[in-house]
Amino acid sequence: MSGLRIGVVVNPTAGHGRGESRGRHLLAVLRARGHEVADLSAADLMSAEQHARQAVVHGLDALVVVGGDGMVHLGANIVAGTDLPLGIVAAGNGNDVARAMDLPRHDVVAAVARFEAGLETGGREVDAAIVGPPDYSAHEWFLGVLSCGFDAAVNARANTMTWPRGSGRYVRALAAELRRFRPYGYRLTLDDETWESTGTLVAIANGGLFGGGMRIAPDSRMDDGLLDVVIAGPLSRRQLTAIFPKIYSGAHVTHPACTVLRTTSILVEHSTVGRTPPAAFADGERLGPLPLRVEVRPGAVRLLA
């Protein structure tokens, strides 16, 4: 397959700088394969998104993002609800959407082969979740997991730190948040029920992974038309320390304090039974404070997978 017009957006800082080298490699491979390539990358992600939206207007056969889950988030917000397919060259640290979809990671040639095959077959339609304030006065899309609990607080704190690099920064942020942790207050309104209590974590999963392979919602699927809502009730610091490592295997969902509910939509609000939950993150990107409404849109994104 050749002769297609493919837009490429690269995050050069992904994977401690690997994104830039993967991006250069991708551009070379696509051109060698006979494709017309539009390099839509920019000095910042906001400008890159603007470039990509303009290119879509002028016509593309596919949009390809190079980086981690933040770049997948950007790509999803451009293509969701359209017929434009999205290709992923996973080059970040977490790559949770790529993991969930069993896509190649840190392998440009394999990724190109995969999304060229997807272009021939039409790709795979997957669900996307739309999120915003209750009136949807503003909104965006995500493919992976939205969280608004302890892990989101850790994520936010880690983003403010400059030392150490890599996972050490997350561990340092985890220790800092654990010292000040007190349960949050949540009110959740789902399709068929309402849940209100203090809690430690609320995660709304379209895909089942976050945090670089943590199986927060082990039974979640990206094409079942449902959101898996994982709720961890009030936990002590000792219980939280014990249960957190179990998220890597998904064994946390068997803990008596954990509940998994399924729904097509959910309104997440702060309840005064506990302290205000932290700002929500989705696909590792900060969304903002509660309240937030989330709805699943079946088949809203066509992935080259």
Side-chain angles (χ1 to χ4, degrees):
M1 172 174 287
S2 62
L4 299 178
R5 179 170 169 76
I6 299 176
V8 176
V9 185
V10 179
N11 179 3
T13 65
H16 302 302
R18 290 192 298 266
E20 183 175 11
S21 62
R22 300 286 193 274
R24 288 198 303 268
H25 188 190
L26 174 66
L27 295 173
V29 170
L30 290 176
R31 286 168 178 148
R33 297 278 296 164
H35 299 297
E36 180 185 351
V37 181
D39 185 357
L40 308 173
S41 308
D44 59 83
L45 293 185
M46 183 177 295
S47 298
E49 183 175 356
Q50 291 175 345
H51 291 174
R53 291 189 183 281
Q54 290 169 357
V56 169
V57 171
H58 294 295
L60 293 174
D61 294 303
L63 178 69
V64 177
V65 293
V66 183
D69 290 307
M71 288 303 292
V72 175
H73 188 78
L74 181 149
N77 275 278
I78 293 170
V79 307
T82 76
D83 292 329
L84 183 67
L86 178 66
I88 300 171
V89 177
N93 293 318
N95 301 316
D96 286 307
V97 173
R99 292 173 192 265
M101 295 299 298
D102 194 28
L103 296 176
R105 305 194 302 274
H106 303 289
D107 188 334
V108 171
V109 174
V112 170
R114 186 69 65 88
F115 62 68
E116 281 189 334
L119 283 165
E120 290 184 348
T121 62
R124 178 177 173 182
E125 289 187 350
V126 299
D127 306 337
I130 188 169
V131 56
D135 63 356
Y136 282 149
S137 54
H139 69 269
E140 56 187 286
W141 299 83
F142 68 91
L143 289 181
V145 178
L146 179 150
S147 60
C148 51
F150 179 73
D151 61 302
V154 173
N155 197 340
R157 181 177 286 267
N159 287 345
T160 68
M161 296 176 173
T162 57
W163 178 89
R165 296 185 62 182
S167 60
R169 185 169 55 185
Y170 188 87
V171 173
R172 184 180 168 210
L174 176 64
E177 284 297 320
L178 193 60
R179 285 194 296 270
R180 64 190 295 270
F181 174 72
R182 289 182 293 110
Y184 310 112
Y186 296 102
R187 179 180 174 83
L188 311 179
T189 305
L190 296 87
D191 291 344
D192 301 317
E193 60 186 296
T194 298
W195 184 93
E196 184 169 7
S197 177
T198 54
T200 303
L201 176 147
V202 170
I204 303 167
N206 180 52
L209 304 176
F210 74 172
M214 301 173 82
R215 296 172 59 81
I216 184 64
D219 295 325
S220 178
R221 299 291 180 267
M222 293 180 67
D223 58 1
D224 62 0
L226 292 169
L227 300 167
D228 283 34
V229 181
V230 181
I231 305 165
L235 297 168
S236 67
R237 292 184 180 91
R238 184 184 296 274
Q239 288 174 319
L240 181 54
T241 302
I243 198 174
F244 205 80
K246 295 182 179 181
I247 301 177
Y248 282 98
S249 66
H252 64 289
V253 298
T254 64
H255 191 282
C258 287
T259 302
V260 181
L261 304 173
R262 288 189 162 181
T263 187
T264 62
S265 67
I266 180 172
L267 173 63
V268 188
E269 302 172 280
H270 170 225
S271 169
T272 55
V273 299
R275 69 186 180 114
T276 303
F281 280 72
D283 298 335
E285 300 295 301
R286 187 182 188 278
L287 295 180
L290 304 182
L292 290 172
R293 184 182 298 278
V294 185
E295 296 180 8
V296 67
R297 301 290 172 85
V301 170
R302 186 153 62 99
L303 272 187
L304 295 178

